[in-house]
C-alpha cells in the first residue's frame, strides 16, 4: 500500500489565567526563589482555578489548531487526548473534547503516557495517516496537574503547572513532515513518579485521601539521570534514522521538565544552545502539554520556517520517553 507523509498543519495552546510564582510558594513551603530558580529554572507556573478542568484548556488549544490548519472539525477522523489528569474516569476526556468541538466523525480516546503523551500521540497519529487509516488527526496534550500536587511537599509542588497544546496532523508532500519517531517505556521505574491512590488498587477513600495517596510522589534525583540519558539516546536514534546531523537541527524542543535536564541533554547532543527552546521559567512542567505548548509558542514567534528540522524529545512517568524528528 502506498504511504503518505504526515506533517503538522496547525498548532494551538491555552493555559489558565492563574499564576503561581516562586514568591507565592515561599509562603506555602520551606523554599526560596533562589533554590527553585537555580535547581529547576522555573520562576512561575499556571494554576487552574477551582472549577477549571483539563478539557477546557484542551478545547481552547484545539480550536486554535483547527483554525490555523483551516479545516472543519467534522473532517477530523482521529482525536487523541494525551493526559494523566482526565476530567473524569468515564468517558474519556477525548470524547468530551470531541463533543465540544463538534468533531463528530472522529475516533476519540485518551492516551496515558505522562510527559511523553504528546509524542506517543503524534507517533500513533503519524502511523494512522501514513497507512491511510486517518486523513486528519488532532493530537492534544492537556493537564491540570496542580489538582494532584501536594502543596506541603516542597520537592514536587515547585515543579508542576497546568495547560494544553494541540496539533493537527495530515498528509504533506514527500520529504516533509514526520521523518522519524520512536516511543519507549520501562515500567521497572514506575515508582520514580507516581500517584499510588485513586485507581482500582488503592481507591479513593477517606483514608487514602487523608494519607495524601492521590498526590504525585517523585524521586527527583533518580528521575533526573534517567531523563537525561533516555532523551539524549532517543534523539540520536531519530536523527540517525532520518540521516540528519544534530548540528542541522534548527529547533530542538525537549520536554520542559527542568532547565538543568535540558542543558544536560543539549550538551550530550551537541545542539547549538541558541536552537534549544525553553519556556520552563514561565510554565514549569506541564507534562503532556509541555511540548505542544512550546511548539505553538515557537510557531507564533516565527521560530520555525519551512524546511527546518525540528527535533522533539520527551521523558516522563512510567517511565516513558520518545523522540520525533520533523521537517517543517
Ligand atoms: N526548596 C528547597 N529545598 C528543597 C526543595 C525546595 N523546593 N525541594 C527539595 N529540597 C531539598 C531537599 O529536601 C534536599 O535537602 P537535604 O539535602 O537536606 O535532604 C535538597 O534540597 C536536595 O534535594 P534533591 O532532591 O537531591 O535536589 P535536586 O538537586 O535533585 O533537585 C529536583 C530536585 C526535583 C528539582 C530535581 O531532582 C529534578 O528536577 N528532577 C527531575 C524531576 C522531573 O523532571 N520530574 C518530572 C519528570 S517528567
Amino acid at each position: 500500500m502506498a504511504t503518505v507523509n504526515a506533517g503538522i498543519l496547525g498548532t494551538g495552546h491555552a493555559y489558565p489565567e492563574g499564576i503561581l510564582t516562586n514568591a507565592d510558594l515561599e509562603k506555602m513551603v520551606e523554599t526560596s526563589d533562589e533554590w527553585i530558580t537555580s535547581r529547576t529554572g522555573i520562576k512561575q507556573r499556571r494554576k487552574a482555578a477551582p472549577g477549571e478542568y483539563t478539557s477546557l484548556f484542551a478545547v481552547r488549544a484545539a480550536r486554535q489548531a483547527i483554525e490555523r490548519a483551516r479545516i472543519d472539525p467534522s473532517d477530523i477522523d482521529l482525536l487523541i487526548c494525551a493526559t494523566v489528569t482526565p476530567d473524569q474516569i468515564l468517558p474519556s476526556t477525548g470524547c468530551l473534547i470531541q463533543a465540544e468541538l463538534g468533531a463528530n466523525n472522529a475516533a476519540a480516546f485518551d492516551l496515558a503516557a505522562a510527559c511523553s503523551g504528546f509524542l506517543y500521540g503524534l507517533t500513533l497519529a503519524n502511523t494512522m495517516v501514513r497507512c491511510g487509516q486517518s486523513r486528519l488527526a488532532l493530537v492534544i496534550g492537556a493537564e491540570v496537574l496542580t489538582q494532584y500536587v501536594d502543596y506541603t511537599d516542597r520537592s514536587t509542588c515547585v515543579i508542576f503547572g497546568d495547560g494544553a497544546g494541540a496539533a493537527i496532523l495530515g498528509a504533506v508532500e514527500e520529504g516533509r513532515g514526520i521523518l522519524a519517531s520512536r516511543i519507549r517505556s520501562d515500567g521497572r521505574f514506575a515508582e520514580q513518579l507516581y500517584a499510588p491512590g485513586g485507581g482500582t488498587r488503592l481507591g479513593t477513600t477517606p483514608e487514602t485521601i487523608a494519607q495524601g495517596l492521590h498526590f504525585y510522589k517523585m524521586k527527583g534525583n533518580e528521575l533526573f539521570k534517567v531523563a537525561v540519558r533516555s532523551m539524549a539516546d532517543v534523539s540520536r536514534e531519530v536523527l540517525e534514522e532520518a540521516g540528519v546531523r544534530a548540528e542541522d537541527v534548527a529547533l530542538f524542543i525537549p520536554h520542559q521538565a527542568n532547565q538543568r535536564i535540558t542543558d544536560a541533554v543539549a550538551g550530550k547532543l551537541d545542539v547549538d544552545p541558541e536552537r534549544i527552546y525553553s519556556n520552563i521559567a514561565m510554565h514549569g512542567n506541564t507534562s503532556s502539554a509541555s511540548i505542544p505548548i512550546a511548539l505553538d509558542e515557537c510557531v507564533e514567534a516565527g521560530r520555525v520556517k519551512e524546511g527546518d528540522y525540528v527535533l522533539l524529545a520527551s521523558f516522563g512517568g512510567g517511565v516513558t520517553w520518545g523522540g520525533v524528528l520533523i521537517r517543517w
Side-chain angles (χ1 to χ4, degrees), residues 98 123 144 158 167 202 222 284 289 310:
Q98 169 179 35
T123 300
V144 174
V158 301
L202 279 174
E222 289 177 33
V310 179

Side-chain angles (χ1 to χ4, degrees), residues 189-226:
F189 296 107
E191 291 191 5
Q192 288 197 349
L193 176 55
Y194 76 129
T200 54
R201 187 186 283 198
L202 279 174
T204 310
T205 65
E207 290 76 30
T208 57
I209 291 176
Q211 291 169 48
L213 297 179
H214 54 298
F215 291 133
Y216 291 149
K217 321 282 175 207
M218 183 172 79
K219 293 177 184 145
N221 45 20
E222 289 177 33
L223 261 182
F224 195 104
K225 287 174 238 158
V226 189

Side-chain angles (χ1 to χ4, degrees), residues 31 35 39-40 115 154 218 220-221 255 257-258 260 285 315:
T31 191
W35 192 96
R39 297 292 180 114
T40 70
C115 307
R154 67 178 181 176
M218 183 172 79
N221 45 20
H255 167 51
N258 179 320
R260 290 189 295 135
N285 180 344
F315 174 81

